[in-house]
Amino acid sequence: MKVAQRQWTAENGWQLVSANGASHQAQLALVFGALDSLRCEQRMEEIHQFFPQARLVGCSTAGEILGNRVFDGSITATGVFFEHTKLQFTQTTVEGMEDSYNAGVRLAEALRQDELAHVFVLSDGLNVNGSALTQGLQSKLATDVAVTGGLAAHQELFSETLVFLDRPSGANTIVAIGFYGKTLQIRYGSRGGWSSFGPDRVVTRSRANVVYEMDGQPILQLYKKYLGEQADGLPATGLQFPLGLAIHNCQDRLVRTITAVNQDDNSVTFAGDVPEGCLARLMRANFECLVDGATDSAGQCRRDGEPAPTLAVLISCVGRKRVLKQRVDEEVESVRGVLGQDAATTGFYSYGEICPFGLDHKRAELHNQTMTITTFSEQSCQS
């Protein structure tokens, strides 16, 4: 397994980050960048020239991760050559939020084959219910096949996002990659670092990912009470106060991020489902807690004494970036400190992350406000 990386910025154009003999052999190129830059046909053509044998899979972001740093307005292109692993690519579009589950079913059915080891998915970040998408995928996959990935973003604008296979096309796109074979070692981890505050409240009226009432009171009014003057900036300002759900008998709360508010009916839309009847609390975080969460996530992906993975894909939430501000690089540095500097690192800031709670679990969940990591390495093929 070999990895080559390039980066484009408006100031410097394309820069070679690492070659490692993978450019002309790569079967996959992961491409993350600013929405407007990704829509440039010339940029896409240049990436195809860098990686002529590769299928391009990518999305728009709220920040691009490369090495130890976080960038805005750039494009990162990571070509990956697998010696012993086969890949399959599929995509679908959703007709509306209610089509999210069936979209997951369609993707999984297109990928079902012997020796499917893992599925990595990138989804539109606004018009897809990430919880339903994940459930649909898993309904047709074998129980030992894990799913990781994330929801595309567009800074903190919450207006549109872009996901593509080979070239940008229409909206509402979801792309999935199937990895096949027995030599590929994939690890994953997902941790937040957020803490809850205030009392538990019962979600008394919700429908899928839209919440209307908690404890019988309009949820939007609750947010306005806590945000005060910042309420005028919703939904962006709500990124600092996600909702923590006590479900699935998990020690960690499942965190949900606001993606939209409706002033007419006082509802709040989240990136994933918020079941009616569940207990929920508002959450908040500080710098140290978020960096510790990123470190813990990396620790799930590499055990003591193990070599560094060849590739690490980091998907962190735009809400974490808003809290970390100018020190956002430090959560990426903390991950590299655990995984090792030899691991090629790419990724992006998202509107949601998809991952099981840990390696002991195969059932994936949609998370918000986490640092989610997927690492890839190939073992020697034994004769």
Side-chain angles (χ1 to χ4, degrees):
M1 183 177 172
K2 300 177 182 178
V3 177
Q5 293 185 298
R6 291 179 180 263
Q7 181 188 37
W8 178 90
T9 62
E11 296 78 14
N12 300 315
W14 284 106
Q15 301 289 315
L16 179 64
V17 178
S18 65
N20 199 23
S23 296
H24 290 279
Q25 297 175 294
Q27 306 101 326
L28 166 66
L30 294 170
V31 181
F32 306 122
L35 188 145
D36 291 340
S37 298
L38 292 176
R39 282 183 169 154
C40 175
E41 292 184 6
Q42 182 178 346
R43 298 289 87 78
M44 288 294 105
E45 184 58 36
E46 290 163 348
I47 298 171
H48 279 287
Q49 291 174 6
F50 296 145
F51 307 108
Q53 304 300 319
R55 303 294 301 272
L56 272 55
V57 175
C59 67
S60 60
T61 80
E64 302 81 52
I65 297 171
L66 183 67
N68 288 335
R69 295 191 56 195
V70 178
F71 299 85
D72 286 303
S74 74
I75 301 175
T76 66
T78 299
V80 189
F81 168 67
F82 296 92
E83 289 188 83
H84 312 296
T85 302
K86 295 181 179 179
L87 307 180
Q88 186 176 343
F89 303 84
T90 186
Q91 65 178 330
T92 191
T93 58
V94 293
E95 300 300 324
M97 192 78 72
E98 65 281 356
D99 188 38
S100 300
Y101 181 91
N102 289 333
V105 170
R106 294 193 295 271
L107 292 169
E109 289 181 335
L111 293 174
R112 280 192 297 172
Q113 289 185 15
D114 292 340
E115 295 192 349
L116 177 62
H118 190 82
V119 174
F120 184 82
V121 61
L122 295 176
S123 171
D124 175 277
L126 294 174
N127 300 307
V128 174
N129 180 328
S131 295
L133 167 66
T134 304
Q135 292 165 10
L137 275 163
Q138 292 179 134
S139 72
K140 297 297 181 179
L141 294 174
T143 56
D144 62 345
V145 176
V147 179
T148 61
L151 308 187
H154 182 200
Q155 296 302 332
E156 296 181 11
L157 300 178
F158 295 96
S159 56
E160 59 178 325
T161 65
L162 177 68
V163 175
F164 62 90
L165 175 60
D166 293 327
R167 295 184 183 277
S169 54
N172 303 351
T173 299
I174 311 169
V175 176
I177 310 169
F179 297 85
Y180 301 82
K182 298 180 179 179
T183 65
L184 185 65
Q185 182 179 79
I186 296 180
R187 296 242 172 108
Y188 43 80
S190 184
R191 284 290 183 269
W194 296 78
S195 58
S196 57
F197 70 97
D200 267 324
R201 293 178 168 86
V202 178
V203 178
T204 46
R205 189 159 74 94
S206 69
R207 187 182 65 203
N209 61 330
V210 181
V211 179
Y212 299 92
E213 295 179 357
M214 294 176 64
D215 283 349
Q217 302 298 316
I219 185 174
L220 184 56
Q221 297 307 312
L222 173 66
Y223 266 95
K224 287 182 175 180
K225 173 184 175 182
Y226 277 99
L227 266 63
E229 294 180 354
Q230 296 185 65
D232 292 338
L234 285 167
T237 51
L239 291 171
Q240 295 175 255
F241 300 95
L243 205 61
L245 312 182
I247 58 177
H248 299 320
N249 296 318
C250 292
Q251 182 178 0
D252 293 334
R253 289 196 176 230
L254 196 60
V255 183
R256 290 285 178 257
T257 287
I258 293 176
T259 60
V261 298
N262 188 324
Q263 301 288 348
D264 294 332
D265 61 11
N266 282 308
S267 68
V268 173
T269 300
F270 293 87
D273 285 350
V274 181
E276 196 169 279
C278 75
L279 294 177
R281 285 185 185 179
L282 290 176
M283 306 192 80
R284 59 188 172 194
N286 58 37
F287 171 82
E288 288 77 12
C289 291
L290 293 184
V291 173
D292 287 346
T295 303
D296 291 344
S297 181
Q300 293 181 302
C301 298
R302 185 186 185 189
R303 296 187 176 96
D304 290 342
E306 288 185 340
T310 305
L311 173 66
V313 181
L314 281 55
I315 303 179
S316 188
C317 187
V318 60
R320 300 171 66 87
K321 187 168 179 257
R322 180 178 250 270
V323 174
L324 294 170
K325 298 180 181 177
Q326 294 91 338
R327 299 176 67 183
V328 65
D329 287 348
E330 295 188 34
E331 77 162 350
V332 178
E333 291 169 356
S334 75
V335 171
R336 290 293 298 279
V338 175
L339 297 183
Q341 297 299 314
D342 291 337
T345 303
T346 187
F348 65 98
Y349 281 81
S350 72
Y351 287 168
E353 307 83 55
I354 295 172
C355 188
F357 271 104
L359 285 173
D360 295 333
H361 304 270
K362 290 295 183 181
R363 175 184 169 81
E365 299 282 356
L366 175 77
H367 303 268
N368 296 128
Q369 308 289 12
T370 65
M371 166 64 82
T372 289
I373 304 168
T374 309
T375 63
F376 300 83
S377 300
E378 274 189 313
Q379 301 171 334
S380 298
C381 189
Q382 302 295 322
S383 58

